[in-house]
Amino acid sequence: MGFLAFVLVVLAGVHYYLWRRLVRGTTVPGRGRRILTWTLVVLAGLLLVALIGTRVIPSETGHALAWPGYLWMATMFYLAVILIVLEIPRAVVSIVLGRRARRESNRVIAVPVPAGGPVLAQDVEVALDEGSVAPQVDRRLFLSRTVAAVAGVGAIATVGYGVRTAFGDPVIERVPVRLARLDPRMSGLRIAAVSDIHLGPLTGIRHTERIVRMINGLEADIVAIVGDLVDGTVAELGPMARPLKSLESRYGSYFVTGNHEYYTANGPQEWINELNSLGIRSLRNERVAIEHAGATLDLAGVNDVNGAAVNDGPDMAGALAGRSADRPVVLLSHQPVQVYDAAPYGVDLQLSGHTHGGQMVPFNLIVPLQQPAVQGLHVVEGTQVYVTRGAGFWGPPVRVGAPPEITLIELRA
């Protein structure tokens, strides 16, 4: 409840800031301002429906209502970002306008006086008002409307680009990784890694079919689904997952839980059972031996850290202890941060997801506060970690600066 309250306070603050800049700053009191104010209130309500309503109404109706709410979330975010960036130039221009206004107000204004008539105070006031105040009000209003227009066009263009990217084909990233302990006979073994598919309210079965088709086109030896497959129950999303039955690989398809599997109403076990029926094996703090060309590699998998709250957390010892020290191990672990627990066990390569590569710039700058890597191949405490950006999206159907990804890891001796 504390986190929810924090989120609501933040959203209220952002909407108030947008109201100040986009409504109050660009309009005069009256009907137009009231209409824009209530429009912003309605959009805020749709955002709450998207965040909360889909959990309360897990149906087609709730899913349909999520669309405008999530799109507004992304638009709201980029409006705020662009407006904040423009605060400095806006302030500079305001100062310039203020100085110009003061210069104009100090000018001697000639007041026409009727021949032989007295100079009336109201004549001077009217002349001053017409000569300085009105132009200044017009300039400030023009400045506010210009900034609002720039922010609006920028936000809409950015979100439009992000939607197209999010629903477009994932990028195939081909990544060669050298493992010191890899038997040369195993060199060239290919692992197709995908994470964060996020089957949910805004995706359809074509999303899954496309991912399966692209993975099969890679002709991988192993397929690894590294968590956050779903955002709902089997009853809601089971049909969307069925294309996974068609995944093709020489040595099988494997799955480890992500944090979102623990957010579903019925927990991860029903999905583990469902995936098992589709021919995908879940690695639950365990490992399997992959034999290829007379050599052997250990493929291990651990549960996500969020499972600890329901006594289903990661167990590195259970997955990694007691194995042969002369052969390499590849670990499937949803969150990159788990590498700190994996490194002491001599893990050669950890495959992770979770970060979405930031999903929407500039969130990629915030992710390092929690995770040791955002995307790509890194070395953390002697263990190589590859973080895939994920093939889907969470929340807004928007990806900016972090296109969806399917990774083909090619192991080399």
Side-chain angles (χ1 to χ4, degrees):
M1 290 297 292
F3 178 73
L4 178 60
F6 172 76
V7 170
L8 292 177
V9 169
V10 170
L11 290 177
V14 172
H15 279 83
Y16 176 72
Y17 173 70
L18 294 182
W19 179 80
R20 292 273 302 185
R21 285 290 177 251
L22 301 180
V23 179
R24 186 177 183 274
T26 63
T27 62
V28 294
R31 185 168 178 267
R33 179 178 290 184
R34 288 195 298 271
I35 291 174
L36 290 175
T37 298
W38 279 108
T39 299
L40 199 59
V41 170
V42 170
L43 289 171
L46 290 173
L47 176 53
L48 292 178
V49 169
L51 292 174
I52 303 172
T54 52
R55 298 179 183 274
V56 179
I57 314 172
S59 64
E60 291 299 323
T61 301
H63 296 172
L65 290 174
W67 267 97
Y70 278 131
L71 286 175
W72 168 243
M73 176 190 288
T75 306
M76 171 203 74
F77 171 72
Y78 281 112
L79 278 171
V81 168
I82 296 172
L83 286 169
I84 289 171
V85 170
L86 291 176
E87 286 292 349
I88 293 177
R90 175 194 179 97
V92 171
V93 174
S94 294
I95 292 172
V96 172
L97 290 178
R99 289 177 178 175
R100 181 177 297 176
R102 285 192 294 272
R103 286 197 302 268
E104 291 178 350
S105 65
N106 291 331
R107 287 185 310 177
V108 177
I109 302 173
V111 180
V113 180
V119 178
L120 300 178
Q122 59 263 32
D123 294 331
V124 176
E125 290 175 359
V126 168
L128 288 173
D129 185 58
E130 291 178 348
S132 60
V133 180
Q136 174 64 7
V137 171
D138 290 343
R139 288 172 189 149
R140 291 191 179 280
L141 189 60
F142 176 76
L143 173 62
S144 296
R145 289 176 176 176
T146 299
V147 170
V150 170
V153 171
I156 292 172
T158 302
V159 171
Y161 165 80
V163 170
R164 181 177 179 180
T165 302
F167 284 104
D169 287 351
V171 175
I172 301 295
E173 299 285 3
R174 300 175 185 270
V175 184
V177 179
R178 293 191 178 277
L179 303 183
R181 292 186 291 181
L182 187 70
D183 190 306
R185 293 173 295 177
M186 211 169 222
S187 190
L189 187 81
R190 292 169 298 179
I191 304 174
V194 63
S195 76
D196 302 278
I197 296 174
H198 284 290
L199 300 180
L202 306 185
T203 64
I205 194 169
R206 291 183 180 179
H207 177 59
T208 320
E209 291 173 341
R210 174 172 53 189
I211 291 170
V212 169
R213 183 179 67 254
M214 294 181 70
I215 289 176
N216 288 346
L218 298 175
E219 299 181 344
D221 298 299
I222 300 168
V223 173
I225 303 174
V226 199
D228 279 9
L229 172 65
V230 295
D231 282 316
T233 64
V234 171
E236 297 164 11
L237 305 175
M240 293 185 195
R242 285 179 194 141
L244 296 173
K245 187 175 184 178
S246 300
L247 282 171
E248 299 172 359
S249 61
R250 183 181 300 184
Y251 302 120
S253 299
Y254 300 88
F255 170 77
V256 292
T257 56
N259 51 305
H260 279 250
E261 273 72 49
Y262 293 95
Y263 299 159
T264 62
N266 300 329
Q269 189 57 52
E270 68 166 2
W271 276 109
I272 290 165
N273 296 338
E274 180 71 9
L275 291 175
N276 184 60
S277 72
L278 299 175
I280 299 172
R281 175 175 176 175
S282 295
L283 295 178
R284 308 274 288 156
N285 298 321
E286 57 187 320
R287 66 179 181 273
V288 295
I290 304 296
E291 297 181 356
H292 174 78
T296 305
L297 172 144
D298 286 329
L299 180 69
V302 291
N303 299 346
D304 184 70
V305 294
N306 281 265
V310 290
N311 297 316
D312 193 38
D315 179 3
M316 291 292 178
L320 300 170
R323 61 185 181 81
S324 176
D326 62 354
R327 67 192 192 196
V329 58
V330 175
L331 174 68
L332 309 183
S333 177
H334 179 62
Q335 297 196 37
V337 72
Q338 291 176 275
V339 70
Y340 294 116
D341 296 325
Y345 288 93
V347 169
D348 298 86
L349 172 65
Q350 176 176 309
L351 300 179
S352 298
H354 184 63
T355 67
H356 296 206
Q359 185 164 324
M360 299 192 311
V361 170
F363 281 116
N364 58 305
L365 304 179
I366 300 173
V367 173
L369 299 177
Q370 184 194 35
Q371 302 292 336
V374 179
Q375 59 180 309
L377 186 63
H378 301 264
V379 178
V380 180
E381 297 191 352
T383 293
Q384 296 186 85
V385 183
Y386 187 85
V387 183
T388 177
R389 296 186 297 268
F393 53 82
W394 181 81
V398 176
R399 275 183 170 269
V400 178
E405 172 186 349
I406 295 172
T407 312
L408 184 65
I409 301 288
E410 183 175 322
L411 302 181
R412 295 180 182 176

Coordinates of all heavy atoms in Angstrom, one line a residue, residues 261-320:
E261 N 5.8 -13.4 -13.1 CA 5.1 -14.7 -12.8 C 4.6 -14.7 -11.4 O 3.6 -15.4 -11.1 CB 6.1 -15.8 -13.1 CG 6.1 -16.3 -14.5 CD 6.8 -15.3 -15.5 OE1 8.0 -14.9 -15.1 OE2 6.3 -15.0 -16.5
Y262 N 5.3 -14.0 -10.5 CA 4.8 -14.0 -9.1 C 3.7 -12.9 -8.9 O 3.1 -12.9 -7.8 CB 6.0 -13.8 -8.2 CG 7.0 -14.9 -8.2 CD1 8.1 -14.9 -9.0 CD2 6.7 -16.1 -7.4 CE1 9.0 -16.0 -9.1 CE2 7.6 -17.1 -7.4 CZ 8.7 -17.1 -8.3 OH 9.6 -18.2 -8.3
Y263 N 3.5 -12.1 -9.8 CA 2.4 -11.1 -9.7 C 1.1 -11.6 -10.2 O 0.1 -10.9 -9.9 CB 2.8 -9.8 -10.5 CG 4.1 -9.1 -10.1 CD1 4.7 -8.3 -11.0 CD2 4.6 -9.3 -8.8 CE1 5.9 -7.6 -10.6 CE2 5.8 -8.7 -8.5 CZ 6.4 -7.8 -9.4 OH 7.6 -7.2 -9.0
T264 N 1.1 -12.7 -10.9 CA -0.2 -13.2 -11.4 C -1.1 -13.7 -10.2 O -0.6 -14.1 -9.2 CB 0.0 -14.3 -12.4 OG1 0.7 -15.4 -11.8 CG2 0.9 -13.8 -13.6
A265 N -2.4 -13.7 -10.5 CA -3.3 -14.1 -9.4 C -3.1 -15.5 -8.9 O -3.3 -15.7 -7.7 CB -4.8 -14.0 -10.0
N266 N -2.7 -16.4 -9.7 CA -2.6 -17.8 -9.3 C -1.1 -18.2 -9.1 O -0.8 -19.4 -8.8 CB -3.2 -18.8 -10.2 CG -4.7 -18.5 -10.4 OD1 -5.4 -18.1 -9.4 ND2 -5.3 -18.7 -11.6
G267 N -0.2 -17.3 -9.2 CA 1.2 -17.6 -9.0 C 1.8 -18.3 -10.2 O 1.2 -18.6 -11.2
P268 N 3.1 -18.7 -10.1 CA 3.9 -19.2 -11.2 C 3.6 -20.7 -11.5 O 3.8 -21.2 -12.6 CB 5.3 -19.0 -10.8 CG 5.3 -19.0 -9.3 CD 4.0 -18.4 -8.9
Q269 N 3.1 -21.5 -10.5 CA 3.1 -22.9 -10.7 C 2.1 -23.3 -11.8 O 2.4 -24.2 -12.6 CB 2.6 -23.6 -9.4 CG 2.7 -25.1 -9.4 CD 4.1 -25.6 -9.7 OE1 5.1 -25.2 -9.0 NE2 4.3 -26.5 -10.7
E270 N 1.0 -22.6 -12.0 CA 0.1 -23.0 -13.1 C 0.8 -22.8 -14.4 O 0.5 -23.5 -15.4 CB -1.2 -22.3 -13.0 CG -1.1 -20.8 -13.2 CD -2.5 -20.2 -13.5 OE1 -3.5 -20.9 -13.4 OE2 -2.6 -18.9 -13.7
W271 N 1.6 -21.8 -14.5 CA 2.3 -21.5 -15.8 C 3.4 -22.5 -16.0 O 3.7 -22.9 -17.1 CB 2.9 -20.1 -15.8 CG 1.8 -19.1 -16.3 CD1 1.2 -18.2 -15.5 CD2 1.3 -19.0 -17.6 NE1 0.3 -17.5 -16.3 CE2 0.3 -18.0 -17.6 CE3 1.5 -19.7 -18.8 CZ2 -0.4 -17.6 -18.7 CZ3 0.8 -19.4 -19.9 CH2 -0.2 -18.4 -19.9
I272 N 4.1 -23.0 -14.9 CA 5.1 -24.0 -15.0 C 4.4 -25.3 -15.6 O 5.0 -26.0 -16.5 CB 5.8 -24.3 -13.7 CG1 6.6 -23.0 -13.3 CG2 6.6 -25.5 -13.7 CD1 7.0 -23.0 -11.9
N273 N 3.3 -25.6 -15.1 CA 2.5 -26.8 -15.6 C 2.1 -26.6 -17.0 O 2.2 -27.6 -17.8 CB 1.3 -27.0 -14.7 CG 1.7 -27.4 -13.2 OD1 2.8 -27.8 -13.0 ND2 0.7 -27.2 -12.3
E274 N 1.6 -25.4 -17.3 CA 1.2 -25.1 -18.7 C 2.4 -25.2 -19.7 O 2.2 -25.8 -20.8 CB 0.6 -23.7 -18.8 CG 0.1 -23.3 -20.2 CD -1.2 -24.1 -20.6 OE1 -1.8 -24.8 -19.7 OE2 -1.6 -24.0 -21.8
L275 N 3.5 -24.7 -19.3 CA 4.7 -24.7 -20.2 C 5.2 -26.2 -20.4 O 5.6 -26.5 -21.4 CB 5.8 -23.8 -19.7 CG 5.5 -22.3 -19.7 CD1 6.6 -21.5 -19.0 CD2 5.4 -21.9 -21.2
N276 N 5.1 -26.9 -19.3 CA 5.5 -28.3 -19.4 C 4.6 -29.1 -20.4 O 5.1 -29.9 -21.2 CB 5.4 -29.0 -18.0 CG 5.9 -30.4 -18.0 OD1 7.0 -30.7 -18.3 ND2 5.0 -31.4 -17.7
S277 N 3.3 -28.7 -20.4 CA 2.5 -29.4 -21.4 C 2.8 -28.9 -22.8 O 2.4 -29.6 -23.8 CB 1.0 -29.1 -21.1 OG 0.7 -27.7 -21.4
L278 N 3.5 -27.8 -23.0 CA 3.8 -27.3 -24.3 C 5.3 -27.7 -24.7 O 5.8 -27.3 -25.7 CB 3.8 -25.7 -24.3 CG 2.4 -25.1 -24.0 CD1 2.5 -23.6 -23.9 CD2 1.4 -25.5 -25.1
G279 N 5.9 -28.5 -23.8 CA 7.2 -29.0 -24.2 C 8.3 -28.2 -23.7 O 9.5 -28.3 -24.2
I280 N 8.1 -27.2 -22.8 CA 9.1 -26.3 -22.3 C 9.4 -26.7 -20.8 O 8.5 -26.7 -20.0 CB 8.7 -24.9 -22.4 CG1 8.4 -24.5 -23.9 CG2 9.7 -23.9 -21.8 CD1 7.8 -23.2 -24.1
R281 N 10.6 -27.0 -20.5 CA 11.0 -27.4 -19.2 C 11.4 -26.2 -18.3 O 12.2 -25.4 -18.8 CB 12.2 -28.4 -19.2 CG 12.7 -28.8 -17.8 CD 13.7 -29.8 -17.9 NE 14.2 -30.1 -16.5 CZ 15.1 -31.1 -16.2 NH1 15.6 -31.9 -17.2 NH2 15.5 -31.2 -15.0
S282 N 10.9 -26.1 -17.1 CA 11.2 -25.1 -16.2 C 12.4 -25.5 -15.4 O 12.4 -26.7 -14.8 CB 10.1 -24.7 -15.3 OG 9.0 -24.1 -16.1
L283 N 13.4 -24.7 -15.2 CA 14.6 -25.0 -14.4 C 14.3 -24.3 -13.1 O 14.4 -23.1 -13.0 CB 15.9 -24.5 -15.0 CG 16.2 -25.3 -16.3 CD1 17.5 -24.7 -16.9 CD2 16.4 -26.8 -16.1
R284 N 14.0 -25.1 -12.0 CA 13.6 -24.6 -10.7 C 14.7 -24.8 -9.8 O 14.8 -25.8 -9.0 CB 12.3 -25.2 -10.2 CG 11.2 -25.2 -11.3 CD 10.4 -24.0 -11.1 NE 9.6 -24.0 -9.9 CZ 9.1 -22.9 -9.3 NH1 9.4 -21.7 -9.8 NH2 8.4 -23.0 -8.2
N285 N 15.7 -23.9 -9.8 CA 16.9 -24.0 -8.9 C 17.6 -25.4 -9.2 O 17.9 -26.1 -8.3 CB 16.5 -23.9 -7.5 CG 16.0 -22.5 -7.1 OD1 16.4 -21.5 -7.6 ND2 14.9 -22.5 -6.3
E286 N 17.8 -25.6 -10.5 CA 18.3 -26.9 -10.9 C 19.1 -26.8 -12.1 O 19.2 -25.7 -12.7 CB 17.2 -28.0 -11.1 CG 16.2 -27.5 -12.1 CD 15.0 -28.5 -12.2 OE1 15.2 -29.7 -12.1 OE2 13.9 -28.0 -12.3
R287 N 19.8 -27.8 -12.6 CA 20.6 -27.8 -13.8 C 20.4 -29.1 -14.6 O 20.0 -30.1 -14.0 CB 22.1 -27.5 -13.5 CG 22.7 -28.7 -12.7 CD 24.2 -28.3 -12.5 NE 24.9 -29.4 -11.8 CZ 24.9 -29.6 -10.5 NH1 24.3 -28.7 -9.7 NH2 25.6 -30.6 -9.9
V288 N 20.7 -29.0 -15.9 CA 20.7 -30.1 -16.7 C 22.0 -30.2 -17.5 O 22.7 -29.1 -17.7 CB 19.5 -30.1 -17.7 CG1 18.2 -30.2 -17.0 CG2 19.6 -28.8 -18.6
A289 N 22.5 -31.3 -17.9 CA 23.7 -31.5 -18.7 C 23.3 -31.5 -20.1 O 22.5 -32.3 -20.6 CB 24.4 -32.8 -18.3
I290 N 24.0 -30.6 -20.9 CA 23.8 -30.5 -22.3 C 25.0 -31.2 -23.0 O 26.2 -30.7 -22.8 CB 23.7 -29.1 -22.8 CG1 22.5 -28.4 -22.1 CG2 23.5 -29.1 -24.3 CD1 21.2 -28.9 -22.4
E291 N 24.8 -32.3 -23.7 CA 25.9 -33.0 -24.3 C 25.8 -32.7 -25.8 O 24.8 -32.9 -26.5 CB 25.7 -34.5 -24.1 CG 25.9 -34.9 -22.6 CD 25.8 -36.4 -22.3 OE1 25.5 -37.1 -23.3 OE2 25.9 -36.8 -21.2
H292 N 27.0 -32.3 -26.3 CA 27.1 -31.9 -27.7 C 28.5 -32.3 -28.3 O 29.5 -31.9 -27.7 CB 26.9 -30.4 -27.8 CG 27.1 -29.8 -29.2 ND1 26.1 -30.0 -30.2 CD2 28.1 -29.2 -29.8 CE1 26.6 -29.4 -31.3 NE2 27.8 -28.9 -31.1
A293 N 28.5 -33.1 -29.3 CA 29.7 -33.5 -30.0 C 30.7 -34.1 -29.1 O 31.9 -33.9 -29.2 CB 30.4 -32.3 -30.7
G294 N 30.2 -34.9 -28.1 CA 31.1 -35.6 -27.1 C 31.5 -34.7 -26.0 O 32.3 -35.2 -25.1
A295 N 31.1 -33.5 -25.9 CA 31.4 -32.6 -24.7 C 30.2 -32.3 -24.0 O 29.0 -32.5 -24.4 CB 32.1 -31.4 -25.3
T296 N 30.4 -31.7 -22.8 CA 29.2 -31.5 -21.9 C 29.3 -30.0 -21.3 O 30.4 -29.5 -21.0 CB 29.2 -32.5 -20.7 OG1 29.2 -33.8 -21.2 CG2 27.9 -32.3 -19.9
L297 N 28.1 -29.4 -21.2 CA 28.0 -28.1 -20.6 C 26.8 -28.2 -19.7 O 25.8 -28.9 -19.9 CB 27.7 -27.1 -21.7 CG 27.3 -25.7 -21.3 CD1 27.9 -24.6 -22.3 CD2 25.8 -25.5 -21.3
D298 N 26.9 -27.5 -18.5 CA 25.8 -27.4 -17.6 C 24.9 -26.2 -17.9 O 25.4 -25.1 -18.0 CB 26.3 -27.3 -16.1 CG 26.9 -28.7 -15.6 OD1 26.3 -29.7 -16.1 OD2 27.8 -28.6 -14.8
L299 N 23.6 -26.4 -18.0 CA 22.7 -25.4 -18.1 C 21.9 -25.3 -16.9 O 21.2 -26.3 -16.5 CB 21.8 -25.6 -19.3 CG 20.7 -24.5 -19.6 CD1 21.4 -23.2 -20.1 CD2 19.7 -25.0 -20.6
A300 N 22.0 -24.2 -16.1 CA 21.3 -24.1 -14.8 C 20.3 -23.0 -14.9 O 20.3 -22.1 -15.7 CB 22.3 -23.9 -13.7
G301 N 19.3 -23.0 -14.0 CA 18.3 -22.0 -13.9 C 17.9 -21.8 -12.4 O 17.8 -22.7 -11.7
V302 N 17.7 -20.5 -12.0 CA 17.2 -20.2 -10.7 C 15.9 -19.4 -10.7 O 15.7 -18.7 -11.7 CB 18.3 -19.5 -9.9 CG1 19.4 -20.4 -9.6 CG2 18.7 -18.2 -10.6
N303 N 15.1 -19.5 -9.7 CA 13.9 -18.7 -9.6 C 14.2 -17.2 -9.4 O 15.3 -16.9 -9.0 CB 13.1 -19.2 -8.4 CG 12.6 -20.6 -8.5 OD1 12.7 -21.2 -9.6 ND2 12.2 -21.2 -7.4
D304 N 13.2 -16.4 -9.7 CA 13.4 -14.9 -9.5 C 13.5 -14.6 -8.1 O 12.8 -15.3 -7.2 CB 12.3 -14.2 -10.2 CG 12.6 -12.7 -10.2 OD1 13.5 -12.2 -10.8 OD2 11.8 -12.0 -9.4
V305 N 14.1 -13.5 -7.7 CA 14.3 -13.1 -6.3 C 12.9 -12.8 -5.7 O 12.8 -12.9 -4.5 CB 15.2 -11.8 -6.2 CG1 16.6 -12.2 -6.6 CG2 14.7 -10.7 -7.1
N306 N 11.9 -12.4 -6.5 CA 10.6 -12.1 -5.9 C 9.9 -13.3 -5.4 O 9.0 -13.2 -4.6 CB 9.7 -11.4 -7.0 CG 10.0 -10.0 -7.2 OD1 9.4 -9.1 -6.6 ND2 11.0 -9.7 -8.0
G307 N 10.4 -14.5 -5.8 CA 9.8 -15.7 -5.2 C 10.1 -15.9 -3.8 O 9.4 -16.7 -3.1
A308 N 11.1 -15.2 -3.2 CA 11.5 -15.4 -1.8 C 10.3 -15.0 -0.9 O 10.2 -15.6 0.2 CB 12.7 -14.5 -1.5
A309 N 9.4 -14.1 -1.3 CA 8.3 -13.7 -0.5 C 7.3 -14.8 -0.3 O 6.5 -14.8 0.7 CB 7.6 -12.5 -1.1
V310 N 7.3 -15.8 -1.2 CA 6.4 -16.9 -1.1 C 7.1 -18.2 -1.0 O 6.7 -19.3 -1.4 CB 5.4 -17.0 -2.3 CG1 4.4 -15.8 -2.2 CG2 6.2 -17.0 -3.6
N311 N 8.3 -18.2 -0.3 CA 9.2 -19.3 -0.1 C 9.5 -20.1 -1.4 O 9.5 -21.3 -1.5 CB 8.5 -20.3 0.9 CG 8.3 -19.7 2.2 OD1 9.3 -19.0 2.8 ND2 7.2 -19.9 2.8
D312 N 9.7 -19.3 -2.5 CA 10.0 -19.9 -3.8 C 11.1 -19.1 -4.5 O 11.1 -18.9 -5.7 CB 8.7 -19.9 -4.7 CG 8.9 -20.8 -5.9 OD1 9.5 -21.9 -5.8 OD2 8.4 -20.4 -7.0
G313 N 12.1 -18.6 -3.7 CA 13.1 -17.8 -4.2 C 14.3 -18.6 -4.8 O 14.2 -19.8 -4.9
P314 N 15.3 -17.9 -5.3 CA 16.4 -18.5 -5.9 C 17.3 -19.3 -4.9 O 17.4 -18.9 -3.7 CB 17.2 -17.3 -6.5 CG 16.9 -16.2 -5.6 CD 15.4 -16.4 -5.2
D315 N 17.8 -20.4 -5.4 CA 18.7 -21.2 -4.5 C 19.9 -21.5 -5.4 O 19.9 -22.5 -6.1 CB 18.0 -22.5 -4.1 CG 18.9 -23.4 -3.3 OD1 20.0 -23.0 -3.0 OD2 18.4 -24.5 -2.9
M316 N 21.0 -20.7 -5.3 CA 22.1 -20.9 -6.2 C 22.8 -22.2 -5.8 O 23.3 -22.9 -6.7 CB 23.1 -19.7 -6.0 CG 22.6 -18.4 -6.6 SD 22.6 -18.4 -8.4 CE 21.9 -16.8 -8.7
A317 N 22.9 -22.5 -4.5 CA 23.6 -23.8 -4.1 C 22.8 -25.0 -4.7 O 23.5 -25.9 -5.2 CB 23.6 -23.9 -2.6
G318 N 21.5 -24.9 -4.7 CA 20.8 -26.0 -5.2 C 21.0 -26.2 -6.7 O 21.0 -27.3 -7.3
A319 N 21.2 -25.1 -7.4 CA 21.4 -25.1 -8.9 C 22.8 -25.4 -9.3 O 23.0 -26.0 -10.4 CB 20.9 -23.8 -9.5
L320 N 23.8 -25.0 -8.5 CA 25.1 -25.0 -8.9 C 26.1 -25.8 -8.1 O 27.2 -26.2 -8.6 CB 25.6 -23.5 -9.0 CG 24.9 -22.5 -9.9 CD1 25.3 -21.1 -9.6 CD2 25.1 -22.9 -11.3

